[in-house]
Amino acid sequence: MSLPRFAVRRPVTTGMLVVAAIVLGAISIARIPLDMFPSFERPVINVTVPYPDASPAEVERRIIRPMEEGLGTLRHLDAIRSTASQNQGRVELEFQPGTNMDLAALEVRERVEQVQRELPEDVQRVNMRRFSSDEQPVLRGAISWEGDPGRLTELVEQRVEPALLQISGVAQVDFSGLEAREVSVDLDQDRMRSQGVTLLQVSEALQRGNEDYSAGELELGGTRYLVRAEGQLRSVDDIASLPVNAAGVRLGDVANVRYDFPESDFFYRLNGVPARQLQVYQESDANIVEVARATKAALDDISGQAGMEELGFQIWQDQSEGILEVLRLLTSAGIFGGILAVLVLFTFLRRITPTFIVAAAIPVSLIFTVAILHLAGDTLNIITLSGLMLAVGMLIDNAVVVVENIFRHREMGSGPDEAAVDGANEVGLAILSGTLTTVIVFTPLFFMPPNQMGTQMSAFGTSLSFTMLASLGIAFTLVPLLALRLLRGKMPEPGRAMEWLNGTYRRMLGRILDHRYVTAGFGLVVF
């Protein structure tokens, strides 16, 4: 049984399937993530090694060279780039296109663990980071505060950050410029020389005096106790009274020990007031617009809480605003384009009913395509929406051909059921081949490399192809069903403008067929 015959003989089933597709599309529109561009990953892994108080030459010798030797033999490695700067070394690993980056990241982590044994002992950590377009912050802002910097750090860590991390879709919150008090030991070289204390003795004393030790076991009355000697330093006075040599010289005798804010090497200002930077990152499958709205609402709520009156928030970069503006412009262009397409269609058909039948294919095809994109894990972005808008003018072609042929069968004397089935079946192969010809043009886009351009072109081809295939299904099912129920009477007689257009085309076609070789030669010259 052909699709048009099934649609005509099972109108309730066909109608429910169309309604189900519309409901699924409506749910998908409400839930599909919004983004500026399709997300993509470059086959790049950055390995960063912080090495404080080191010159670029020392970083290059002690950090970069061991890292290059250890990581340079990774599989599928295409290029390696290294940068030695003050206090830090960075190695960028670029892999061949198509490399499984999950496996590559595991191999890099294993090599880093092996190389880390050759690095200086004072290297505390090695950072790894993969490149992804989803890692751009949703919001960038500033926190203004004129009070005690330590109090601000406490408020951010205890109240602001936990409140933001509880928002659905927020993956990470970064604060830059927060200040925290720390213990500083400023050594006096003159006093050290007079007391006979060396820097190594001070370092060893701090290390020994700030540890807990196991003192063994003690058995008393049949009960065994574990004994530990607690040596953790708990105050500035404890640090200052720490012995540094066998002569009993204490750290406070050769150094100034203080607990205060460190010297700042960078500053943030917001309207002349000291500030700190705030960055909010979303989860990979989260809706950027919803995350941004929820975050701004949470910041407003925090500002109104007791004890937070002096805390000010200023958002100066919001991805959701640009996304909504671009999507609004594209949607408006698509709506006006659809209206113009319907008006042109009505100019030729000159009847409301067939125009409505053809126009119904536009929203149904688009909304069903959005459901497919959502189920496939895609987002609604500039690229996919552009594909949908471009398909608006093409997806009604199938419906126009089917409606016109059904009308022709009605004028030839066929009954409503017979005209709907035979009219659609008769042109079925033509619209099928035409649609597949359009879709096949975009097939190579699906095999492009997974870089930025390849990802965007693939998303464009996917949205347009799904829309065209959806319109083909609508032309085979919904259009014959609506034609059966709504089309009555005869097509109106062509007007003077249509008669002139038909006559002109008929005369041109006749001349072309009378001069076939000249026409073929002209086409060859143009080619």
Side-chain angles (χ1 to χ4, degrees), residues 57-90:
E58 186 177 5
V59 170
E60 190 270 340
R61 184 181 70 256
R62 306 189 65 182
I63 303 295
I64 295 298
R65 289 187 181 178
M67 295 293 292
E68 285 184 339
E69 293 174 358
L71 301 175
T73 57
L74 288 167
R75 293 184 301 168
H76 309 299
L77 186 63
D78 191 33
I80 181 170
R81 305 177 185 89
S82 304
T83 304
S85 57
Q86 187 172 0
N87 303 329
Q88 178 179 276
R90 185 172 69 89

Side-chain angles (χ1 to χ4, degrees), residues 167-237:
I167 299 174
S168 177
V170 174
Q172 181 180 349
V173 181
D174 287 343
F175 296 91
S176 301
L178 292 178
E179 299 179 56
R181 288 184 173 88
E182 63 181 26
V183 176
S184 298
V185 179
D186 301 327
L187 297 174
D188 189 318
Q189 295 186 9
D190 294 334
R191 284 190 283 173
M192 290 177 63
R193 281 193 294 266
S194 64
Q195 298 288 348
V197 176
T198 63
L199 183 61
L200 179 61
Q201 290 176 326
V202 174
S203 176
E204 293 177 348
L206 288 172
Q207 185 175 1
R208 291 194 310 268
N210 196 37
E211 293 182 358
D212 292 340
Y213 294 94
S214 173
E217 299 177 353
L218 176 64
E219 187 171 349
L220 184 62
T223 303
R224 180 177 298 175
Y225 298 93
L226 297 178
V227 182
R228 294 187 58 83
E230 295 186 359
Q232 290 285 342
L233 301 174
R234 304 184 181 279
S235 66
V236 175
D237 294 335

Side-chain angles (χ1 to χ4, degrees), residues 117-152:
R117 304 167 187 169
E118 304 177 14
L119 300 181
E121 295 182 357
D122 49 349
V123 172
Q124 299 180 354
R125 67 184 187 277
V126 178
N127 302 322
M128 286 180 49
R129 187 169 186 177
R130 291 167 55 180
F131 176 87
S132 174
S133 60
D134 293 331
E135 294 184 358
Q136 300 299 320
V138 178
L139 295 176
R140 293 177 187 266
I143 305 176
S144 60
W145 177 263
E146 298 187 56
D148 181 13
R151 175 59 177 165
L152 173 61

Side-chain angles (χ1 to χ4, degrees), residues 121-353:
E121 295 182 357
D122 49 349
V123 172
Q124 299 180 354
R125 67 184 187 277
V126 178
N127 302 322
M128 286 180 49
R129 187 169 186 177
R130 291 167 55 180
F131 176 87
S132 174
S133 60
D134 293 331
E135 294 184 358
Q136 300 299 320
V138 178
L139 295 176
R140 293 177 187 266
I143 305 176
S144 60
W145 177 263
E146 298 187 56
D148 181 13
R151 175 59 177 165
L152 173 61
T153 302
E154 179 182 343
L155 291 175
V156 167
E157 293 178 349
Q158 297 182 4
R159 299 179 63 175
V160 179
E161 185 174 8
L164 296 181
L165 290 176
Q166 291 178 2
I167 299 174
S168 177
V170 174
Q172 181 180 349
V173 181
D174 287 343
F175 296 91
S176 301
L178 292 178
E179 299 179 56
R181 288 184 173 88
E182 63 181 26
V183 176
S184 298
V185 179
D186 301 327
L187 297 174
D188 189 318
Q189 295 186 9
D190 294 334
R191 284 190 283 173
M192 290 177 63
R193 281 193 294 266
S194 64
Q195 298 288 348
V197 176
T198 63
L199 183 61
L200 179 61
Q201 290 176 326
V202 174
S203 176
E204 293 177 348
L206 288 172
Q207 185 175 1
R208 291 194 310 268
N210 196 37
E211 293 182 358
D212 292 340
Y213 294 94
S214 173
E217 299 177 353
L218 176 64
E219 187 171 349
L220 184 62
T223 303
R224 180 177 298 175
Y225 298 93
L226 297 178
V227 182
R228 294 187 58 83
E230 295 186 359
Q232 290 285 342
L233 301 174
R234 304 184 181 279
S235 66
V236 175
D237 294 335
D238 291 343
I239 300 175
S241 60
L242 189 67
V244 294
N245 62 7
V249 177
R250 301 183 180 276
L251 183 61
D253 298 333
V254 296
N256 297 321
V257 183
R258 55 189 178 87
Y259 180 62
D260 202 353
F261 294 102
E263 182 179 356
S264 299
D265 53 4
F266 60 93
F267 303 90
Y268 288 101
R269 292 288 187 272
L270 175 62
N271 297 329
V273 178
R276 280 77 180 163
Q277 183 172 259
L278 164 67
Q279 295 181 343
V280 180
Y281 297 85
Q282 91 280 5
E283 297 175 352
S284 58
D285 58 346
N287 191 318
I288 293 180
V289 176
E290 294 180 356
V291 171
R293 289 175 177 172
T295 302
K296 289 187 286 188
L299 293 177
D300 292 338
D301 181 67
I302 293 173
S303 301
Q305 296 177 4
M308 311 287 282
E309 294 81 3
E310 298 182 9
L311 201 63
F313 298 99
Q314 178 68 43
I315 302 299
W316 52 269
Q317 182 179 350
D318 184 354
Q319 276 199 50
S320 65
E321 294 180 355
I323 293 173
L324 291 175
E325 178 65 16
V326 172
L327 296 183
R328 183 188 65 81
L329 293 175
L330 285 175
T331 303
S332 300
I335 292 175
F336 283 111
I339 293 174
L340 293 176
V342 173
L343 291 177
V344 172
L345 187 64
F346 179 75
T347 302
F348 286 91
L349 297 179
R350 299 185 312 285
R351 284 191 60 179
I352 296 296
T353 303

